[in-house]
Amino acid sequence: MRILVVEDEKKVSSFIKRGLEEERYEVDTAFNGEEGLKMALEKGYDLVILDVMLPKKDGLSVVRDLRERRNAIPVLMLTAKDSVEDIVAGLDSGSDDYLTKPFAFAELLARVRALVRRSEQDRGAEIRFADLRLDPVTHKVWRKDKEIDLTAKEYALLEYFMRNPNQVLTRTMIAEHVWDYTFDSFTNIIDVYVNYLRKKIDREADKKLIHTVRGVGYILKEEE
Ligand code: CA
């Protein structure tokens, strides 16, 4: 378990680091928001403990940036005040839990354990179809253990297919679910996106998974 602590107050930071290391967590520290964001994006942490008041970039902006980049890493926010507004702002920005300073280490540890447990359960919710694997938390996709790089729309399209396998999906259904509205005169945008997706998913594979149902739409299925 690797934890990133982003806190500019050296005393608080080393107090948290020491305590967590005694509990056998691996801990890295960052002392401003920019550094924290960079480390959180580049290294695979299991949890970030993030102070709200930070130099260079405040904690709320760090969480917002992480979530905008579809990074789902659990975040425990440290707030100085226990005002309802601060707490709401923290949770709205995309953090998972908060703790008000000053706090007892036992309470921090309890929150850390709960968040790590919760994210482990989420991670189990992978979707599989044939040799395709999709992780709805990180938005990563693999075919036969080879990671496939998809754009946001291609990902949304594939997730829709994988949640509805072996069913004919009409262009209207796809438009409504993936684009949130219906295209009247130019449903060919769906064909274009399905073809992008096919190139990435099926082109190099011996078994094709996305099939055209002539005049109707598409189906995700294994060939008989
Ligand atoms: Ca601070």
Side-chain angles (χ1 to χ4, degrees):
M1 283 294 146
R2 299 179 68 210
I3 298 178
L4 175 65
V5 177
V6 191
E7 163 65 275
D8 58 314
E9 285 165 73
K10 296 262 157 65
K11 265 171 79 179
V12 179
S13 171
S14 62
F15 163 73
I16 297 174
K17 182 175 162 71
R18 213 178 322 118
L20 289 174
E21 282 175 346
E22 278 169 16
E23 298 293 321
R24 303 190 179 277
Y25 291 99
E26 279 179 53
V27 182
D28 286 344
T29 49
F31 299 97
N32 67 64
E34 277 178 10
E35 188 190 12
L37 177 64
K38 191 163 176 281
M39 286 171 77
L41 287 170
E42 286 172 3
K43 301 178 187 179
Y45 292 103
D46 298 288
L47 176 76
V48 179
I49 298 174
L50 184 66
D51 189 32
V52 174
M53 302 287 283
L54 288 168
K56 293 197 180 170
K57 193 178 189 74
D58 67 87
L60 297 179
S61 314
V62 172
V63 188
R64 264 186 228 111
D65 281 14
L66 282 171
R67 299 308 184 230
E68 266 168 26
R69 292 170 204 212
R70 294 178 178 274
N71 187 306
I73 186 169
V75 174
L76 173 62
M77 195 79 100
L78 303 180
T79 64
K81 295 165 280 179
D82 59 354
S83 80
V84 174
E85 289 83 2
D86 282 17
I87 291 160
V88 169
L91 295 175
D92 275 354
S93 70
S95 61
D96 301 274
D97 200 0
Y98 69 93
L99 199 54
T100 309
K101 290 179 180 177
F103 50 83
F105 186 76
E107 172 150 32
L108 176 82
L109 192 59
R111 302 290 176 100
V112 165
R113 284 188 177 135
L115 285 175
V116 168
R117 203 180 313 127
R118 205 198 295 168
S119 88
E120 277 174 344
Q121 285 162 356
D122 285 352
R123 254 178 247 156
E126 265 185 9
I127 308 172
R128 288 166 186 259
F129 181 81
D131 52 7
L132 268 179
R133 204 149 54 85
L134 178 145
D135 184 334
V137 180
T138 60
H139 287 206
K140 285 187 176 177
V141 172
W142 299 264
R143 181 146 192 198
K144 273 191 184 165
D145 295 327
K146 189 178 172 244
E147 191 175 338
I148 299 166
D149 192 29
L150 299 180
T151 64
K153 268 290 170 255
E154 291 162 0
Y155 172 85
L157 187 56
L158 182 63
E159 185 175 345
Y160 183 51
F161 273 120
M162 288 181 73
R163 290 193 187 279
N164 301 278
N166 303 310
Q167 294 173 45
V168 177
L169 304 177
T170 66
R171 288 181 180 79
T172 308
M173 287 161 75
I174 294 171
E176 283 172 356
H177 281 89
V178 179
W179 276 266
D180 292 329
Y181 58 89
T182 315
F183 300 102
D184 287 330
S185 52
F186 79 140
T187 55
N188 67 342
I189 192 159
I190 290 164
D191 301 333
V192 170
Y193 271 92
V194 170
N195 283 328
Y196 288 156
L197 186 59
R198 274 179 161 160
K199 274 185 193 156
K200 293 185 178 177
I201 298 294
D202 276 343
R203 190 164 61 184
E204 286 173 23
D206 17 305
K207 272 190 180 176
K208 310 296 177 206
L209 296 176
I210 300 172
H211 304 272
T212 305
V213 182
R214 208 171 290 276
V216 184
Y218 296 94
I219 186 168
L220 181 73
K221 66 167 188 179
E222 293 189 79
E223 282 163 318
E224 281 96 52

